[in-house]
Amino acid sequence: MVETILNLIVQGVLIGGLYALFALGLSLSLGVMRFVNIAHGDMIVLFSFVLLSLTGVLGWSPFLVALILLPVAFGLGWLLQRFLLQRTVGKGILPILLVTFGLSIIIQNGLLEAYGPNTRKLSGGAIELAALRLGPIDVGVYPLLVFLLAVALIAGLDAFLYRTAIGARIRAVADDPAAADLIGLTSARIYPVAMGVVGITMLVAASCMSVWTNFDPSIGPSRLLAAFEAVVLGGLGSLWGTLIGGVIIGVAQNFGSQIDASWQILAQHLVFLVALVFRPQGLFARS
Amino acid sequence: MSTPMLLGARAILAAGVLACLAGPWLFDANSLTVLTEFFIVVTLALMWNLLAGYADIISVGQQGFVGVGAYAFFGFTALLHMSVWAAVPLAALTTLLIAVPVMAVIFRLRTAYLAVGTWVAADVLMLIAGKLPGFGGGSGTSLPIPVVKQFGARLGDRIDMFYALSLGLALIAFLATWALLRSRIGLGLTAMRDNEEAAGSSGVDLVRTRILCFLWTAPFLGLAGVMTALEKLRVAPTASFNITDWTIDIIFIVVIGGIGSLEGPILGAILFFLLRQWLADFGAWYLILLGVISIGVILFEPKGLWGACRRWGFPDILPAGHAPGPGAPERVAGPDAQEAPAARTVG
């Protein structure tokens, strides 16, 4: 009994690493550009399908392909912000929500037309099956590596935002776009860079997800909701909080899944809503 | 701004309403079924527009209350064996009662966060509906034949009755929302639409107005849900709480037709039904096309088709505002402040 519960918690924590990867980009776009990208989950799924096609053609490991694609992901994020989303800056929340909403529908249905509704999965090689015996429980090497990657990515992003010159500029525009504009830091220059970084986190999340779980063109919204809940649970503006939020979501899902598949999602949502009632600012909100 | 043009537009509108009222005598069964669906969509579009266009609440979870209405109707009739005529208002009341706690929780979020919050809430309602005993679980269940027969013994009678009910719903939803917008509260809503900060500092109670609007839409969404259950003759989590049919299509309709006006949602719904007939064979492509069009509209004509009409000097057929009295300062633009800077909401 104790072993079962311990096992559920450990596996849930590890899945939480994957959710944190989904949520990092969303946390960044909320923190810097102050909008929710409704197409966030769909863009991750889009990257997964790109990896599917390229690994099929090249025959390489999806992780190698993802590594090579990192600059492309940055470029796509940059272009998206520079030429589409930037047009809605300063016009309130409605236009940007509706543009990303339209984008979400276009990506979902475009993928449906291109790849069909079947579920897919990428092969990560022998590492997928490897496991470590830690006391009474088995821990998959791959989930553990994804969790460590999430920790490393958060540490890297934290260092990027707080230790580099470009990070300081991003934070300046995030804190006060008008004042930053006065000293020559225009949102038109800074936001695309931030969105490029978001693109990189999306590609990393996509490569980890496509090896770990099945995916199909319709799963974007559920990934968006999980990412969103992780960000709000953790507290806005706190990347480490987002990791904790992802872990809470993962553990809740794991306990729910003991009953059935719909309880898996229901448990995730209910934990989020209860947390919202008692701590709307999130667990680790930065004031 | 020409009066003949306005009179002409109102004459067309009046003729359209009269034709709809005489529908059962004018149209065949097929057209009546399509129109029944059209009136449901118009009701949903009016409600989404009231929230997004005026109260600054962007709902991606409207399907939640549609589904609650459908499930409540099924529960009162099929499980509790009540008369359908008692079940319809009770379904509206149930939706309102469920909307109160939903609002209390998700209104802790604001702006973009609230949008995703409505989505989470709708997902929760759908998953709970799939767990309720007696409602057929995840695959849903059909309305019992005795329940359906209360609307008419013959199929033709039932088609007429469903048509009349959904037409009545759309008319009541429209007239009630129009009355709301022309009331004192509506004046505040129009001010919020044009500039939220200015409205707040002029004494509009933003929070209370938002709460009122959110709860206002719930019974209408629930009644639309009853109509969807009657149209499909069954309830099921994926159909009754369908995000594509009850929210995504609706968002496209309002955005393309014209957000923040009463004419826009109706114009958008008419366009949507015409477009759908032509593009029915193209599957996912028609949603892609709608997505592209709506992004174009938001970027280049944010107030949609009706906004463009207003800019060309076309007067509102159904003005939600009040005409300035004699001696009021001359206005250059249309009947509402098109040039007012969009509200900038932060955080």
Side-chain angles (χ1 to χ4, degrees), chain A residues 47-70 120-128 142 149 202-213 215:
Chain A
F47 278 130
S48 297
F49 274 98
V50 170
L51 288 175
L52 174 80
S53 289
L54 287 180
T55 49
V57 172
L58 300 170
W60 298 348
S61 154
F63 304 113
L64 181 62
V65 177
L67 203 63
I68 295 169
L69 280 183
L70 281 179
R120 313 294 184 117
K121 192 184 161 302
L122 293 182
S123 166
I127 198 170
E128 275 189 75
Y142 180 68
L149 181 63
M202 283 173 169
L203 179 60
V204 173
S207 61
C208 292
M209 175 189 79
S210 53
V211 172
W212 193 330
T213 64
F215 58 95

Side-chain angles (χ1 to χ4, degrees), chain A:
Chain A
M1 184 63 193
V2 177
E3 272 176 36
T4 316
I5 291 176
L6 196 65
N7 193 39
L8 282 175
I9 292 175
V10 171
Q11 310 300 343
V13 168
L14 293 180
I15 297 174
L18 183 64
Y19 286 124
L21 284 177
F22 291 146
L24 274 183
L26 199 69
S27 184
L28 211 58
S29 52
L30 265 165
V32 176
M33 289 155 289
R34 307 194 181 231
F35 74 90
V36 174
N37 178 4
I38 300 278
H40 185 80
D42 302 296
M43 288 168 75
I44 291 173
V45 177
L46 175 67
F47 278 130
S48 297
F49 274 98
V50 170
L51 288 175
L52 174 80
S53 289
L54 287 180
T55 49
V57 172
L58 300 170
W60 298 348
S61 154
F63 304 113
L64 181 62
V65 177
L67 203 63
I68 295 169
L69 280 183
L70 281 179
V72 178
F74 179 89
L76 281 177
W78 194 92
L79 289 171
L80 176 71
Q81 180 68 36
R82 179 68 188 77
F83 291 104
L84 186 65
L85 304 183
Q86 196 64 29
R87 289 167 170 272
T88 63
V89 167
K91 293 180 183 164
I93 205 70
L94 184 81
I96 186 107
L97 266 179
L98 294 179
V99 167
T100 57
F101 171 79
L103 216 54
S104 148
I105 303 301
I106 293 170
I107 294 173
Q108 269 175 52
N109 289 282
L111 288 175
L112 189 64
E113 282 293 328
Y115 292 92
N118 298 335
T119 56
R120 313 294 184 117
K121 192 184 161 302
L122 293 182
S123 166
I127 198 170
E128 275 189 75
L129 299 172
L132 293 173
R133 183 100 193 144
L134 289 182
I137 45 177
D138 284 315
V139 175
V141 170
Y142 180 68
L144 193 62
L145 285 177
V146 170
F147 189 86
L148 293 176
L149 181 63
V151 172
L153 196 58
I154 291 172
L157 273 178
D158 217 48
F160 170 72
L161 285 174
Y162 289 89
R163 302 260 184 280
T164 66
I166 182 76
R169 288 181 190 148
I170 290 175
R171 281 185 295 123
V173 178
D175 284 347
D176 193 336
D181 193 37
L182 287 177
I183 55 165
L185 288 175
T186 58
S187 69
R189 270 178 50 216
I190 299 299
Y191 283 1
V193 176
M195 201 61 192
V197 176
V198 171
I200 288 177
T201 70
M202 283 173 169
L203 179 60
V204 173
S207 61
C208 292
M209 175 189 79
S210 53
V211 172
W212 193 330
T213 64
N214 292 331
F215 58 95
D216 66 69
S218 70
I219 63 159
S222 66
R223 297 302 175 276
L224 166 72
L225 293 191
F228 172 79
E229 289 169 342
V231 172
V232 177
L233 266 173
L236 304 170
S238 164
L239 292 175
W240 292 107
T242 300
L243 177 67
I244 305 295
V247 163
I248 293 171
I249 296 280
V251 173
Q253 274 201 356
N254 243 6
F255 276 95
S257 71
Q258 292 304 103
I259 307 173
D260 64 30
S262 59
W263 264 108
Q264 185 179 347
I265 309 299
L266 207 48
Q268 167 201 332
H269 288 333
L270 291 178
V271 163
F272 165 72
L273 292 174
V274 168
L276 195 57
V277 169
F278 292 104
R279 206 174 155 78
Q281 73 273 39
L283 299 171
F284 303 95
R286 264 186 202 155
S287 58

Side-chain angles (χ1 to χ4, degrees), chain B residues 133-158:
Chain B
F135 289 84
S139 50
T141 183
S142 298
L143 277 175
I145 291 163
V147 171
V148 180
K149 290 231 161 159
Q150 289 182 53
F151 290 100
R154 294 183 311 113
L155 178 65
D157 294 346
R158 287 197 294 275

Side-chain angles (χ1 to χ4, degrees), chain B residues 239-261:
Chain B
S240 303
F241 293 81
N242 192 301
I243 186 170
T244 307
D245 292 349
W246 317 133
T247 303
I248 293 174
D249 285 351
I250 303 300
I251 294 179
F252 287 145
I253 285 170
V254 178
V255 167
I256 294 171
I259 202 164
S261 69

